[in-house]
Amino acid sequence: MHQSDMLVIGGGIAGLSLAARLARYGKVTVLEGESAPGYHASGRSVAFAHFGLGERIVRAMTALSLPDLAVAPFGVRHPALHIASTAQMDALDELEAVHRQYGCDYSRISPEEARALLPVLKAGPEHCHAALVDHGSLKLDTDAMLQANLAALRSAGGAVVTGARVSAIARKGSGWRVEAGGATYAAPIIVNAAGAWADHIARMARVTPIGLQPRRRTVISFAAPEGEDVRGWPFTKTAGEGFYLLPEGRGQLLASSMDQTPSDPCDAAAEELDIAIAADRVEQATTLPIRRISHSWAGLRSFAPDELPVIGHAAGAVGFVWCAGQGGYGFQTAPALSRIAESAVLGLPFPKDCTAAGLTAEMFSPARLDA
């Protein structure tokens, strides 16, 4: 039997960033069911840190995380262009208020100025009636973030066990015993950072689930116009329903219709209809002809019923701690979220900068979901 002070179930960005912090206090073992950390949602994320995602609490965590993310090689400044049709002007106005609140380096721009940044953007108020460009957004290197947390965990004496799919969890004496990958692990504390499988892990431990809903998102990759170097094109996103588009290297583009299809926990794969919708929305709003999809994939983004993270000790289950429900903002909030989770796991004071930003432990607690 392998004894640790803390077991973290799940090796995505949530589990690894928290484990790296916890390893300073004791022996931490991360159990990852797949062959490598970050296999599911974390490994399939098109991570771009910007304020056009989530609501007040998510945006506060993003603002708190940006200083850490702006350090090379984790993030590189890259403009984010938010476009709005006439029907989306209220959403753009609200987004401008958010950028003003957080002191972002942004500008409200005209359709003509937007097309100067993204030359393929079609004219007309049904595509872009107005726009906002955030010059301080960050294109994130997800692998660099995962590897840095992995290195920090190991340098502090922690370990990651891959191929360790959990098959049983039981309360034994003053701690927990977990069967995973044909071996037995024990610790007084287990952290449930299992992403889309977090409710499944809770049921194994006879802990009340939080009602987590995995949602599938599809991304397509296709060639940029021949001879066009698109590296300087902005990350472009509609202020409401629509699509996002961003460059991936010199001659490749990524896009998504921002679909959120409910799904069971699974090894998600792109479906033909979702691929077609993503391509159609890009073609409707731009002059880009998508003749061939180079590559497509899908990942699961997991949400609690109120679409906020769930961090804290489960009711009636001593030593069982939730770290789940990061939705589509796991990477851009990881620095702040891992510090909040660290305080929850160890019973430390809530981070002062998070308090100053108007956040509280109760906002994240599973108690709000009766769990």
Side-chain angles (χ1 to χ4, degrees), residues 265-283:
C266 66
D267 187 356
E271 298 191 0
E272 290 300 321
L273 177 60
D274 297 326
I275 293 170
I277 291 172
D280 179 66
R281 289 189 180 181
V282 171
E283 289 186 319

Side-chain angles (χ1 to χ4, degrees), residues 253-320:
L253 293 162
L254 302 181
S256 173
S257 66
M258 301 186 289
D259 49 320
Q260 299 194 74
T261 308
S263 170
D264 291 330
C266 66
D267 187 356
E271 298 191 0
E272 290 300 321
L273 177 60
D274 297 326
I275 293 170
I277 291 172
D280 179 66
R281 289 189 180 181
V282 171
E283 289 186 319
Q284 289 294 324
T286 72
T287 58
L288 289 167
I290 305 178
R291 297 187 177 91
R292 187 176 71 86
I293 305 295
S294 306
H295 182 47
S296 62
W297 68 93
L300 297 182
R301 307 154 80 244
S302 299
F303 296 85
D306 58 5
E307 302 199 351
L308 294 175
V310 182
I311 300 173
H313 288 259
V318 176
F320 186 100

Side-chain angles (χ1 to χ4, degrees), residues 104-130:
C104 299
D105 177 13
Y106 82 95
S107 303
R108 182 77 172 252
I109 62 175
S110 68
E112 293 73 26
E113 291 170 310
R115 283 194 293 278
L117 294 173
L118 185 69
V120 295
L121 186 62
K122 284 182 180 177
E126 70 275 21
H127 304 302
C128 180
H129 184 68

